[in-house]
Each structure stands twice: as structure tokens, then as C-alpha cells.
Amino acid sequence: MIMKQASPEGLKWFQEARFGMFIHWGLYSLLARGEWVMHNEKIPYNNYKKLADFFNPQEFNAKEWVQLAKNAGMKYITITSRHHDGFSMFNTAATPYNIVQSTPYHKDPLMELAKECEKEGIELHFYYSLLDWGRPDYGFGNPIVNHVPENTDWNSYINFMKTQLTELITKYPNISGIWFDGHWERPKVNWHYDEIYSLIHRLNSKVLIGNNHHLAPFKGEDFQMFEKDLPGENTTGFSGQSKIGDLPLETCETINNSWGFNINDNHYKSVKQIIHYLVNAAGRNANFLLNVGPMPNGKIQSEFVDTLNKVGEWMKKYGETIYDTRGNVIAPQQWGVITQKGNVLYAHILNGLKDAYVFIPDIKQKISRVNLFGNSAEIKFKQQPEGVFVYLPNMIFDNVDTIIQLQ
Ligand code: JFZ
């Protein structure tokens, strides 16, 4: 079988986008203790299922979510269509365990979101869990023998996923990516990726495939992702086996410490931390997918909204140094990172300087002019074979990011 990748058009917008919103939203949001609550608290599947009887997000408003993302300077949204609890947050014929059929809400929020995204020029990706804690044909916990879980109808599970993925790709307008997760739970099983990936690209060649398997990219994948780590770092221990390949990169991180809504979690990241993560990702040539976990009523909590709006204000001023740039042109430095667009380099000083100058090594192109981004006054510099020295005496540093433009 020939494994094709997504069309270049899809890859191009993805690399230009640089900033997206991750959304974890499902039945678990009701319990307000994160998306792993069923597993962590050993809630029996048949009891957990009762949550559907009262999942009724009356305050959900696709317009509000899309405006929030847009105002924050985000170019795409990646939302959970089905998480490990197995509940489908969209209208599907493959199982009645879905938001339209088994909740009093009876509507499909992902369709509303997809239509709104299309209208507003925001791309939409669906998170899709390979792992399912409840379906008998998945057989969670069963031993894997000869690449299939024992005592299950594994083919039935694979077909179920194919049916759902076909629905997601053919029925929802503007969908441009699938974000797989759960591989790590069964690294030895036969996931039939060859069939699944070619199905996706055959149905829509624009759709990008990414898989949170924490390994070097598999054939047919279009981007490589990192969870809670900048590419090349491994602070979480999840990213150890991730060799960085040639594909576009994405890294995801939470706005507090949780993916799904968590009422106990007050560990809100500051605006500065979020901006630093975004700049550090761009400097390493990666998109930043920033997660929020909406509440069960469909609202996004005010702490997140405030932060996102402030990040958006920064992006309105400085987005030019982030969107459509390339990173890894020059290795990350102690003081920060460099992004590049055409023949313009942006040195982002994130961590302050010891001396009254900044040294940018390994610059190949001839530099003719240096100034602060957004300020035309020229700054003194000296170009040497080993790099460029930019002199910054009496400079007032921006507490978040001082951006020096070189061309
Ligand atoms: C996964 C999910 O389990 C989690 O709920 C969330 O959706 C996140 C974005 O992705 O989290 C993982 C995935 C892999 C590992 C750890 C957490 N891992 O390999 O250790």
C-alpha cells in the first residue's frame, strides 16, 4: 500500500499558523476532576455512562469559542471528538453513546463549531482517542497476543474507528486534521494505521494526521507532536523517544495543570509564561497548541478568558514575529530564541542579558540594519565571522520579550 501524506497546501497553512487552541470537553467535564476521572477513580463504565443523562451544555456557544480563539491570535482549534471514556461528542451512527442520542442536549456541538470555524477562517482538527476504556471490542486490560487483544473482536473495533473517522472527515466542513492519542497504551497491538491513514487522506487529502505516540513519526503522518515539552526537551519523560523528524512540529501544553475541566486546579499559567512558551515553540519551529478545558455548561472559565485576551493583545502587536516564521535557523540561546521570515531575523530576548550586548551566533547572511521590532531607530551592531554582536546600552528591556529585528 502506498502511504501518501497530506497535500502541501495543508502543510503550508499549518506551519504558518503557529498558534492553536486545544479543547478537552466531554462527560468528564461534569465531574470537574479532569478527563481521566473515570479511570483514576475506578468508576464502573455503566455508572459513568449515567453522566450522559444530565450532560446538557445550554451555555455552549460556538461563536464565543471561535471569537475567543481568534482574539487570542489562534489560527486553529483541536477539539476532543472522543476521549478515552469512549463518549462521542458528535453525531455518529457508529454508537448510540453520543451527545445527540444519549444526552438531553440532543445537538451536535462539533457541527456548530465546524460551521463557525469555516465562517471565521479558523481551521479545525479533531482529537480522536485510539484507547477506549469501555467498549468490549477494545477489551481494555486484556493481554495482547499476536498483536491483538485476547477475547475481543479487534476487527470490529478497527471498523468502528474507520466509520467514525469517515463521518468526521466527510460530514464536518473545514476539518483539516486528526490528532490521534492512546497508542502508548498498546504499543504492540496492530492498529491498522496503513488502512486508517490512507482512508483519511483518500477522503480528504487536505487533512493532516498527527499521532501522540511519542515516537519518531510513522509513515503517512503529516506532523510530529510533543506533549508538554518543547521539541528537543524531555522534562515530562513523555518525549524521550521522540526524535525530531522533518515534519512540521506541534507542542501542546495546558493553561493550568489539567486538560479536562478541573475545579481544584488553580495553577493558572501567567500571560508571560504562555507567551514564552509560544515564542520558544516558534523558535524551535513548532506550533503551540494551548489547551483549555471548558466547563460542563459550555462556558470557558473567566481566568482562561482573561489570559487568552491578554495573549491576544500581545499577538496583535508582535504576531508578525511569530506567524509564518521558521525556527531552528539558529539554535536556542541562553537569552532566548530566533525566528525568521524571509531575510528578516527576530531575536526574542526572553531571559534578560548579563551584558550590554546580545551575541547571535552562526548568522550566515549579511546584516545591514538592526532595530527594535516596531521602532525604526537603528541599533549599533558588529558582524563577525562567528556571529553578530548587537549593542544595547541603556536599553529598556520589555519584561516579556524584547524583540530585535535584523535584516
Ligand atoms: C494524553 C491523554 O491521556 C490525556 O488525557 C490528554 O488528552 C493528553 C493531551 O494526551 O496524555 C498522555 C499521553 C501519553 C502519555 C502521557 C499522557 N505518555 O506516553 O506517558
Side-chain angles (χ1 to χ4, degrees):
M1 193 168 310
I2 311 158
M3 292 294 275
K4 279 207 306 204
Q5 264 190 280
S7 59
E9 158 208 10
L11 294 163
K12 187 167 178 295
W13 85 256
F14 185 74
Q15 277 199 308
E16 290 170 6
R18 282 292 173 243
F19 194 23
M21 177 182 275
F22 207 175
I23 300 178
H24 276 69
W25 196 44
L27 291 185
Y28 44 80
S29 311
L30 277 168
L31 298 179
R33 294 191 292 281
E35 76 289 354
W36 272 68
V37 60
M38 172 182 159
H39 184 76
N40 290 348
E41 299 183 12
K42 301 190 170 57
I43 304 172
Y45 187 45
N46 284 328
N47 297 4
Y48 183 87
K49 274 183 145 177
K50 296 186 206 297
L51 291 173
D53 294 344
F54 43 93
F55 190 68
N56 196 4
Q58 288 298 323
E59 305 293 315
F60 168 72
N61 181 335
K63 229 184 201 63
E64 267 177 33
W65 286 14
V66 173
Q67 282 312 316
L68 180 65
K70 253 187 130 164
N71 275 335
M74 293 156 158
K75 302 293 188 188
Y76 63 111
I77 293 176
T78 304
I79 186 166
T80 45
S81 62
R82 180 173 144 274
H83 206 267
H84 311 333
D85 65 354
F87 185 74
S88 298
M89 288 293 284
F90 62 104
N91 194 11
T92 171
T95 168
Y97 193 42
N98 72 64
I99 187 161
V100 179
Q101 263 171 283
S102 19
T103 75
Y105 189 58
H106 292 304
K107 285 184 283 187
D108 180 349
L110 298 200
M111 184 56 87
E112 289 175 44
L113 194 64
K115 286 182 176 158
E116 187 61 23
C117 282
E118 185 182 39
K119 208 167 99 205
E120 294 293 325
I122 295 290
E123 299 286 333
L124 184 63
H125 288 195
F126 287 133
Y127 170 107
Y128 191 83
S129 178
L130 298 157
L131 155 61
D132 191 302
W133 289 322
R135 284 180 66 96
D137 54 4
Y138 186 87
F140 180 63
N142 293 10
I144 309 297
V145 180
N146 292 328
H147 308 288
V148 289
E150 239 177 4
N151 304 318
T152 65
D153 186 353
W154 185 239
N155 281 331
S156 139
Y157 186 67
I158 299 293
N159 284 329
F160 162 75
M161 291 201 291
K162 285 185 190 168
T163 305
Q164 287 210 313
L165 289 163
T166 303
E167 291 174 330
L168 288 170
I169 288 161
T170 58
K171 290 190 176 164
Y172 294 78
N174 221 35
I175 158 160
S176 57
I178 299 285
W179 206 102
F180 285 107
D181 189 22
H183 171 97
W184 38 268
E185 204 264 321
R186 280 181 173 172
K188 295 260 155 65
V189 95
N190 180 2
W191 290 106
H192 295 254
Y193 286 133
D194 45 355
E195 295 156 40
I196 290 175
Y197 289 0
S198 32
L199 171 73
I200 292 171
H201 285 150
R202 192 166 65 240
L203 291 171
N204 184 344
S205 66
K206 184 187 148 195
V207 172
L208 304 176
I209 298 172
N211 191 331
N212 192 26
H213 47 49
H214 304 259
L215 303 165
F218 299 168
K219 260 197 289 180
E221 292 173 4
D222 301 298
F223 64 97
Q224 182 177 5
M225 56 176 82
F226 296 82
E227 185 182 324
K228 286 176 155 292
D229 258 323
L230 294 166
E233 292 183 351
N234 183 20
T235 57
T236 54
F238 300 162
S239 313
Q241 289 151 294
S242 291
K243 280 209 195 67
I244 303 177
D246 302 328
L247 298 180
L249 310 174
E250 178 186 80
T251 172
C252 57
E253 180 53 292
T254 48
I255 195 164
N256 50 1
N257 280 346
S258 313
W259 300 102
F261 177 55
N262 187 336
I263 198 114
N264 272 316
D265 188 345
N266 279 331
H267 296 98
Y268 307 115
K269 293 188 179 67
S270 66
V271 174
K272 179 173 169 174
Q273 280 176 304
I274 301 287
I275 293 171
H276 276 201
Y277 207 89
L278 174 62
V279 174
N280 270 312
R284 288 163 178 81
N285 212 26
N287 288 2
F288 178 31
L289 191 60
L290 172 60
N291 182 77
V292 295
M295 299 185 285
N297 65 353
K299 284 280 179 203
I300 295 175
Q301 65 191 84
S302 60
E303 293 87 352
F304 298 170
V305 172
D306 289 349
T307 301
L308 290 173
N309 284 334
K310 287 181 186 138
V311 171
E313 283 166 30
W314 189 88
M315 282 301 268
K316 278 182 199 99
K317 278 199 211 146
Y318 303 110
E320 203 184 314
T321 70
I322 303 291
Y323 299 124
D324 198 16
T325 57
R326 292 298 170 266
N328 277 342
V329 213
I330 289 151
Q333 302 295 308
Q334 228 208 321
W335 44 262
V337 293
I338 291 114
T339 55
Q340 177 172 28
K341 195 185 301 189
N343 60 4
V344 183
L345 294 171
Y346 302 105
H348 296 263
I349 302 173
L350 301 171
N351 307 324
L353 294 170
K354 293 194 302 292
D355 311 294
Y357 65 88
V358 60
F359 174 63
I360 309 167
D362 303 324
I363 294 191
K364 304 278 179 296
Q365 72 190 75
K366 168 119 186 62
I367 301 298
S368 56
R369 170 190 179 94
V370 176
N371 55 275
L372 269 183
F373 178 76
N375 178 338
S376 58
E378 290 198 32
I379 298 177
K380 247 185 79 187
F381 71 95
K382 187 166 77 187
Q383 186 158 24
Q384 305 272 65
E386 68 269 25
V388 175
F389 294 84
V390 179
Y391 300 100
L392 306 162
N394 316 317
M395 256 270 299
I396 299 159
F397 283 92
D398 186 309
N399 171 45
V400 175
D401 181 8
T402 304
I403 308 172
I404 295 165
Q405 179 173 331
L406 305 92
Q407 58 201 56

Coordinates of all heavy atoms in Angstrom, one line a residue, residues 22 24 35-36 83-84 127 179 181 184 212 214 227 238 259, ligand 1:
F22 N -6.4 24.1 22.0 CA -6.7 22.7 22.2 C -7.9 22.7 23.2 O -7.9 23.5 24.1 CB -5.5 22.0 22.9 CG -5.4 20.5 22.7 CD1 -4.3 19.9 23.2 CD2 -6.4 19.8 22.0 CE1 -4.1 18.5 23.0 CE2 -6.2 18.4 21.8 CZ -5.1 17.8 22.4
H24 N -10.4 20.2 25.6 CA -10.8 18.9 26.1 C -12.2 19.1 26.8 O -12.3 19.8 27.8 CB -9.8 18.4 27.2 CG -8.6 17.7 26.6 ND1 -7.6 18.3 25.8 CD2 -8.3 16.4 26.6 CE1 -6.7 17.4 25.4 NE2 -7.1 16.2 25.9
E35 N -10.0 14.7 32.7 CA -10.6 13.8 31.7 C -10.3 12.3 32.0 O -10.8 11.4 31.4 CB -10.1 14.2 30.3 CG -8.7 13.8 30.0 CD -7.6 14.6 30.7 OE1 -8.0 15.6 31.4 OE2 -6.4 14.3 30.6
W36 N -9.4 12.1 33.1 CA -9.1 10.7 33.4 C -9.9 10.2 34.6 O -9.6 9.2 35.2 CB -7.6 10.6 33.8 CG -6.7 10.4 32.6 CD1 -6.5 11.2 31.5 CD2 -6.0 9.2 32.3 NE1 -5.7 10.6 30.6 CE2 -5.3 9.3 31.0 CE3 -5.8 7.9 32.9 CZ2 -4.5 8.4 30.4 CZ3 -5.0 7.0 32.3 CH2 -4.4 7.2 31.1
H83 N -12.8 11.0 23.7 CA -11.7 10.7 24.5 C -11.7 9.3 25.0 O -12.4 8.5 24.5 CB -11.6 11.8 25.7 CG -10.2 12.0 26.2 ND1 -9.7 11.3 27.2 CD2 -9.3 12.9 25.7 CE1 -8.5 11.7 27.4 NE2 -8.2 12.7 26.5
H84 N -10.8 9.0 26.0 CA -10.6 7.6 26.4 C -11.9 7.0 27.0 O -12.1 5.8 27.1 CB -9.5 7.4 27.4 CG -8.2 8.1 27.0 ND1 -7.8 8.3 25.7 CD2 -7.1 8.6 27.7 CE1 -6.6 8.9 25.6 NE2 -6.2 9.1 26.9
Y127 N -9.4 15.8 17.8 CA -8.7 14.8 18.7 C -9.5 13.5 18.6 O -10.7 13.6 18.7 CB -8.6 15.4 20.1 CG -8.1 14.4 21.1 CD1 -6.9 14.5 21.7 CD2 -8.9 13.3 21.6 CE1 -6.4 13.6 22.7 CE2 -8.5 12.4 22.5 CZ -7.3 12.5 23.1 OH -6.8 11.7 24.0
W179 N -6.0 14.3 15.3 CA -5.0 14.2 16.4 C -5.2 12.9 17.1 O -6.1 12.9 18.0 CB -5.2 15.4 17.2 CG -4.0 16.0 18.0 CD1 -3.3 17.1 17.7 CD2 -3.5 15.6 19.3 NE1 -2.4 17.4 18.7 CE2 -2.5 16.4 19.7 CE3 -3.8 14.5 20.2 CZ2 -1.8 16.3 20.9 CZ3 -3.1 14.4 21.4 CH2 -2.1 15.3 21.7
D181 N -4.6 9.8 19.7 CA -4.0 9.7 21.1 C -4.3 8.3 21.6 O -5.4 7.8 21.3 CB -4.5 10.8 22.0 CG -3.7 10.8 23.3 OD1 -2.6 10.3 23.4 OD2 -4.3 11.3 24.3
W184 N 0.1 4.8 23.0 CA 1.1 4.4 24.0 C 0.5 3.3 25.0 O 1.2 2.6 25.7 CB 1.5 5.6 24.8 CG 0.4 6.6 25.0 CD1 0.1 7.7 24.2 CD2 -0.6 6.6 26.0 NE1 -1.1 8.3 24.7 CE2 -1.5 7.6 25.8 CE3 -0.9 5.7 27.1 CZ2 -2.6 7.9 26.6 CZ3 -2.0 6.0 28.0 CH2 -2.8 7.1 27.7
N212 N -0.1 11.1 18.9 CA 0.6 11.4 20.1 C 1.2 10.1 20.7 O 1.0 9.7 21.8 CB -0.4 11.9 21.1 CG 0.2 12.5 22.4 OD1 1.4 12.9 22.3 ND2 -0.5 12.5 23.5
H214 N 4.5 9.5 20.8 CA 5.8 9.8 21.5 C 7.0 9.1 20.8 O 8.0 8.8 21.5 CB 5.7 9.5 23.0 CG 4.6 10.2 23.7 ND1 4.8 11.4 24.4 CD2 3.3 10.0 23.7 CE1 3.7 11.8 24.9 NE2 2.7 11.0 24.5
E227 N 4.2 16.5 23.7 CA 3.2 16.8 24.8 C 3.9 17.4 25.9 O 4.8 16.8 26.5 CB 2.5 15.5 25.2 CG 1.4 15.7 26.2 CD 0.8 14.4 26.6 OE1 0.6 13.5 25.8 OE2 0.4 14.3 27.8
F238 N 7.8 12.1 28.8 CA 6.9 11.5 27.7 C 7.7 11.6 26.4 O 7.3 10.9 25.4 CB 5.7 12.4 27.5 CG 4.8 12.5 28.7 CD1 3.8 13.5 28.7 CD2 4.8 11.6 29.7 CE1 3.0 13.6 29.8 CE2 4.0 11.7 30.8 CZ 3.0 12.7 30.8
W259 N -6.1 19.0 31.5 CA -6.6 19.0 30.2 C -8.1 19.3 30.3 O -8.7 20.2 29.7 CB -6.3 17.7 29.4 CG -4.8 17.5 29.3 CD1 -4.1 16.6 30.0 CD2 -3.9 18.1 28.3 NE1 -2.7 16.6 29.6 CE2 -2.6 17.5 28.6 CE3 -4.0 19.0 27.3 CZ2 -1.5 17.9 27.8 CZ3 -2.9 19.4 26.6 CH2 -1.7 18.9 26.8
Ligands
JFZ1 C1 -2.9 12.0 26.7 C2 -4.2 11.8 27.3 O1 -4.2 10.6 28.0 C3 -4.6 13.0 28.1 O2 -5.9 12.8 28.7 C4 -4.7 14.2 27.2 O3 -5.7 14.0 26.2 C5 -3.3 14.4 26.6 C6 -3.3 15.5 25.6 O4 -2.9 13.2 25.9 O5 -1.9 12.1 27.7 C7 -0.8 11.3 27.7 C8 -0.3 10.7 26.6 C9 0.8 9.9 26.7 C10 1.5 9.8 27.9 C11 1.1 10.5 29.0 C12 -0.1 11.3 28.9 N1 2.6 9.0 28.0 O6 3.1 8.5 27.0 O7 3.2 9.0 29.1

